[in-house]
């Protein structure tokens, strides 16, 4: 197979126009042999062990170009399993301190083999999202979150639950989302997720000004 | 600073232009313009030349237990031929029955031609201050001898074809606590991390722009970095374990990206912030 991948969108659009829709190319599954090569190419370092290369169901089925949409049933299966695994705080309190949330959103440290495992991880939200209006150094991989709460009618209990859950595990709502599963994979603590939830929903947060 | 920011490493630049930081889109456009101007100004003088000069010396010196110079090394275009060699790498080398990128080939030659042990040859693959890396110097010089040469990586050998296919799969391989793959950041047009533009490496234009500008002198580190380092540090930020220097996966990914860059004039060592 000669790689002509970048020509695909053009080919696909022609096919679609001709009424013969085929999706963008899905990657062939990683074989046992591929996986052996991949694993032999890394060494455990610091807090990053080789077990980080063991893919869960979502990782396995989401290892595709972003133009690929996986089968509906598969997406539903991933979302259902991830949704069922969300753990909400036992005390039911989902809103923390938006100021602490802003610091978490600004910080990108955490879980790299070069990081001190004792230092709490950041959420690094600004790497990919616009969050507050004041911070102009923001990325564009994810949508803007400026006015997130304001646009959604404020911090109702339903919005709190949705927002907390979405940070805890975005793939509970959107299979193959680019966003890390911050609670599910233990990147952020319960309190940190509360704080980021508050950053997005608190009417006093700079996000909602 | 770099370690602290994790994948948001570009903040250094934002701080550099701190006085310009004010709220609003106007300020952001202004900052982006200033960053573009800063990048243009950097092109005037590139300290990579220091690495290139040291690399040329290292290439010609008789070194190692066998006291032989690397001029006895075949980078693919014949023994001692450096001109244009990088633009055709990675390639299949029959004497090793393996696909090799530049650094892997250099390691092979240090071991077979010069007689170094693997441990000795790989003691310092990435330099840090006065602890300099021979690989970085050699790569600086050898790649400089391909500047302006059109990238022409061939997949004709089945092992190179296989490396390309593995590299492509690995590019989309999600793993680690953050679910990241290369494609998380490098598979769509016009995306940024913080203010850092991200090339879309799945499209010809982005792959050409990205691949042909490595190695590069990194102003933020004061070091010249090779493509092996680029992959190593991307995986660090992906929260993967440590990518082994000259590993099969590193060669596969390099093959995928270098082939995608075919047709563009090679333009490195470059200078990046």
């Amino acid at each position: 197979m000669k790689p002509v991948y970048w020509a695909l969108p053009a080919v696909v659009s022609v096919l679609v126009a001709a009424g013969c829709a085929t999706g963008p190319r899905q990657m062939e599954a990683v074989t046992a042999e591929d996986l052996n090569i991949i694993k032999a190419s890394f060494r455990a370092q610091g807090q990053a062990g080789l077990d980080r290369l063991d893919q869960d169901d979502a990782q396995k089925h989401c290892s595709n170009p972003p133009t690929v949409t996986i089968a509906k049933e598969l997406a539903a299966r991933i979302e259902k399993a991830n949704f069922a695994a969300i753990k909400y705080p036992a005390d039911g309190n989902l809103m923390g301190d938006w100021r602490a949330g802003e610091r978490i959103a600004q910080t990108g440290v955490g879980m790299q083999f070069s990081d001190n495992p004792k230092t709490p991880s950041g959420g690094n939200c600004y790497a990919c999202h616009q969050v507050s209006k004041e911070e102009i150094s923001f990325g564009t991989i994810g949508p803007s979150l400026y006015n997130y709460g304001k646009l959604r009618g404020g911090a109702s209990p339903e919005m709190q639950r949705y927002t907390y859950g979405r940070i805890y595990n975005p793939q509970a709502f959107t299979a193959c989302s680019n966003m890390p599963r911050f609670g599910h994979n233990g990147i952020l603590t319960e309190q940190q997720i509360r704080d980021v939830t508050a950053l997005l929903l608190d009417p006093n947060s700079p996000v909602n000004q | 600073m770099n370690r602290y920011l994790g994948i948001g490493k570009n903040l250094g630049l934002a701080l550099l232009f701190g006085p310009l930081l004010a709220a609003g889109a106007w300020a952001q456009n202004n900052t982006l313009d200033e960053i573009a101007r800063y990048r243009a100004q950097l092109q005037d003088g590139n300290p990579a030349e220091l690495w290139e000069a040291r690399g040329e010396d290292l290439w010609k010196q008789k070194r190692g237990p066998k006291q032989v110079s690397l001029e006895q090394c075949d980078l693919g275009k014949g023994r001692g031929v450096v001109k244009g060699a990088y633009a055709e790498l990675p390639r299949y080398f029959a004497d090793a029955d393996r696909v090799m990128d530049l650094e892997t080939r250099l390691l092979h030659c240090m071991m077979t031609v010069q007689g170094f042990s693997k441990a000795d040859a790989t003691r310092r693959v990435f330099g840090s201050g006065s602890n300099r890396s021979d690989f970085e110097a050699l790569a600086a010089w050898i790649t400089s001898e391909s500047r302006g040469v059109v990238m022409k990586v061939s997949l004709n050998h089945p092992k190179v074809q296989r490396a390309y296919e593995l590299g492509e799969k690995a590019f989309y391989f999600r793993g680690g606590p953050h679910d990241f793959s290369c494609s998380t950041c490098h598979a769509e047009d016009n995306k940024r991390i913080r203010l850092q533009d991200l090339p879309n490496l799945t499209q010809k234009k982005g792959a050409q722009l990205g691949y042909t500008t490595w190695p590069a002198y990194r102003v933020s580190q004061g070091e010249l970095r090779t493509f092996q380092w680029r992959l190593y540090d991307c995986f660090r930020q992906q929260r993967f374990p440590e990518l082994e220097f000259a590993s099969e996966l590193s060669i596969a990914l390099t093959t995928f990206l270098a082939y995608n860059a075919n047709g563009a004039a090679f333009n490195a060592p470059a200078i990046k912030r």
Side-chain angles (χ1 to χ4, degrees), chain A:
Chain A
M1 180 243 10
K2 288 281 176 206
V4 284
Y5 174 61
W6 48 76
L8 264 180
V11 174
V12 169
S13 56
V14 168
L15 291 177
V16 170
C20 169
T22 58
R25 190 168 122 247
Q26 193 149 347
M27 282 294 104
E28 283 162 47
V30 170
T31 64
E33 193 200 337
D34 296 336
L35 202 56
N36 283 341
I37 297 172
I38 291 171
K39 286 199 163 178
S41 296
F42 288 93
R43 69 175 137 210
Q45 183 64 262
Q47 59 183 303
L50 291 178
D51 57 341
R52 290 194 177 183
L53 302 170
D54 295 327
Q55 295 178 303
D56 74 358
D57 198 41
Q59 290 174 332
K60 205 171 287 176
H61 294 291
C62 297
S63 290
N64 277 305
T67 41
V68 167
T69 310
I70 61 169
K72 228 181 224 167
E73 305 74 42
L74 184 55
R77 186 178 88 198
I78 290 169
E79 287 163 8
K80 197 176 160 196
N82 278 277
F83 191 85
I86 297 179
K87 289 194 190 82
Y88 285 96
D91 65 5
N93 183 9
L94 304 183
M95 291 277 277
D97 172 5
W98 67 259
R99 287 178 190 84
E102 168 69 11
R103 285 194 292 276
I104 293 161
Q106 289 279 6
T107 306
V109 74
M111 301 191 103
Q112 298 166 120
F113 62 69
S114 52
D115 290 328
N116 180 349
K118 289 182 184 138
T119 308
S121 296
N124 215 10
C125 313
Y126 282 102
C128 298
H129 298 280
Q130 181 179 34
V131 185
S132 71
K133 205 174 175 183
E134 288 71 28
E135 177 56 86
I136 63 165
S137 176
F138 60 83
T140 57
I141 292 175
S144 172
L145 300 174
Y146 179 59
N147 277 348
Y148 175 92
K150 204 174 173 180
L151 291 169
R152 290 166 177 78
S156 65
E158 293 74 25
M159 271 310 296
Q160 289 182 28
R161 208 169 159 78
Y162 169 72
T163 303
Y164 187 100
R166 183 114 209 169
I167 299 164
Y168 189 98
N169 192 339
Q171 298 209 43
F173 306 89
T174 311
C176 303
S177 165
N178 270 337
M179 183 166 143
R181 293 173 282 177
F182 286 102
H184 187 78
N185 285 333
I187 303 165
L188 296 179
T189 64
E190 189 174 273
Q191 185 55 42
Q192 285 181 308
I193 299 176
R194 283 192 185 108
D195 293 339
V196 178
T197 302
L199 176 68
L200 293 175
L201 288 177
D202 194 312
N204 296 316
S205 158
V207 168
N208 297 314
Q209 304 312 307

